[in-house]
Amino acid sequence: MKLRKVTAASAVVLALAVTATACGSDDKKDSDSSGGGKKITIGIKFDQPGIGQKTPQGYSGFDVDVATYVAGKLGYKADQIQWKETKSADRENALSRGDVDFIAASYSITPEREKKVDFAGPYLLAHQDVLIRSDDTAIKSPSDLNSKKLCSVTGSTSAQNVHDKLAPKAQLQQYPTYSACLTGLQSKAIDALTTDDSILAGYASQAAFKGKFKLGGLKMTNENYGIGVKKGSDLKAKINTALEAMVSDGSWQKAVDKNFGPAQYKNEPAPKIGNIVS
């Protein structure tokens, strides 16, 4: 009889312990869902100065500033952000796998990509352009690139697009990195570097290249940068609201000036949410 009483008491204690543990789990879940106790993981580029760059001092660039602002509006402080490198070829997979909550990484909105992910924005309208030496007066239009040495990174379609559609006699030069192209541009081994003007402005804004290069202003394509989220995610609407606030309170223009200003980047006005320029 005494043994049975002890067993019954133990059962009560065990039941209480299980209940307490369950309540504790619910409390943690509630805390996480509010943004107050968990982290948010954001995909960015790590190797694009002015856009998204990992440095010994931390992370910098226009996309980093935009993502930090958006995260703040979602309820996350800067120290609750986990930055994850998302290379161009892996962006859709990173979202579908759940590796990141959203991606801000010079991510152009295209019909093909919209089949796989949802986009908030756009938050920047960029254009394919060329970067040339600051004393260059010969390149004023895409056709002026004919017979010029045109550089882009290995595997990029930017230089090929110019060659195929606008300057068929351009001499394509493929270098492993944009930095290598810049070195070639500085030494006159190449005449122009081509990719998105925002990326070019970011590189030209580096202290080592200040005053040495300028954008051609050719505006050869339209690149609508959006923030990628997993297909069907309710984050899209929340991020759009945050982007609208960033523009209205002046934070968007400040981020543009800070990251691209040294290259005298003539940015387009902040695009309206959902307005994709073809």
Side-chain angles (χ1 to χ4, degrees):
M1 182 66 70
K2 185 176 182 181
L3 181 60
R4 289 175 60 191
K5 287 183 178 179
V6 171
T7 303
S10 298
V12 172
V13 171
L14 179 61
L16 290 172
V18 170
T19 302
T21 301
C23 291
S25 298
D26 289 343
D27 290 344
K28 185 178 185 298
K29 184 176 180 181
D30 290 342
S31 175
D32 283 355
S33 64
S34 68
K38 71 169 186 176
K39 303 283 187 178
I40 186 168
T41 304
I42 302 173
I44 58 170
K45 294 290 181 67
F46 276 17
D47 59 353
Q48 288 184 346
I51 299 288
Q53 185 178 29
K54 182 180 181 181
T55 70
Q57 293 74 39
Y59 301 89
S60 64
F62 180 70
D63 283 348
V64 173
D65 290 342
V66 170
T68 301
Y69 184 98
V70 168
K73 290 295 185 181
L74 294 177
Y76 298 88
K77 297 178 181 179
D79 62 2
Q80 293 175 304
I81 298 173
Q82 291 181 326
W83 301 107
K84 185 176 181 63
E85 182 177 23
T86 49
K87 296 182 179 181
S88 297
D90 195 45
R91 288 179 294 204
E92 288 83 26
N93 289 333
L95 286 168
S96 64
R97 290 192 305 259
D99 295 347
V100 293
D101 294 292
F102 68 80
I103 293 176
S106 55
Y107 202 1
S108 295
I109 302 171
T110 67
E112 186 64 29
R113 288 171 178 165
E114 286 184 303
K115 295 176 183 177
K116 302 175 182 178
V117 303
D118 285 340
F119 285 98
Y123 64 92
L124 183 73
L125 176 59
H127 307 281
Q128 185 178 342
D129 199 355
V130 293
L131 193 70
I132 54 180
R133 288 181 291 277
S134 58
D135 60 354
D136 190 319
T137 59
I139 299 176
K140 298 179 180 179
S141 69
S143 62
D144 293 332
L145 294 169
N146 282 308
S147 301
K148 299 292 186 181
K149 294 177 181 177
L150 181 64
C151 185
S152 195
V153 296
T154 303
S156 169
T157 59
S158 298
Q160 194 66 49
N161 286 340
V162 174
H163 179 270
D164 291 348
K165 300 176 183 178
L166 302 170
K169 295 182 180 180
Q171 301 173 32
L172 298 185
Q173 307 285 321
Q174 295 192 65
Y175 285 27
T177 64
Y178 288 118
S179 295
C181 284
L182 284 168
T183 301
L185 185 59
Q186 188 172 355
S187 67
K188 299 185 179 181
I190 62 169
D191 300 304
L193 162 62
T194 186
T195 188
D196 295 358
D197 53 8
S198 57
I199 296 173
L200 296 174
Y203 276 97
S205 294
Q206 296 178 94
F209 300 124
K210 189 174 181 180
K212 295 180 180 180
F213 307 119
K214 64 182 179 181
L215 291 165
L218 305 188
K219 297 185 178 181
M220 294 180 281
T221 64
N222 295 319
E223 306 296 336
N224 301 269
Y225 287 3
I227 293 181
V229 299
K230 191 172 184 178
K231 200 73 177 173
S233 172
D234 62 357
L235 276 180
K236 176 180 176 178
K238 296 176 182 179
I239 293 174
N240 279 335
T241 299
L243 291 174
E244 290 173 338
M246 188 176 188
V247 173
S248 64
D249 69 15
S251 298
W252 183 89
Q253 189 61 52
K254 288 180 181 178
V256 169
D257 295 341
K258 182 182 80 172
N259 293 291
F260 305 132
Q264 298 181 340
Y265 175 55
K266 297 178 181 178
N267 64 280
E268 298 281 3
K272 293 183 179 180
I273 299 301
N275 184 22
I276 309 299
V277 179
S278 60

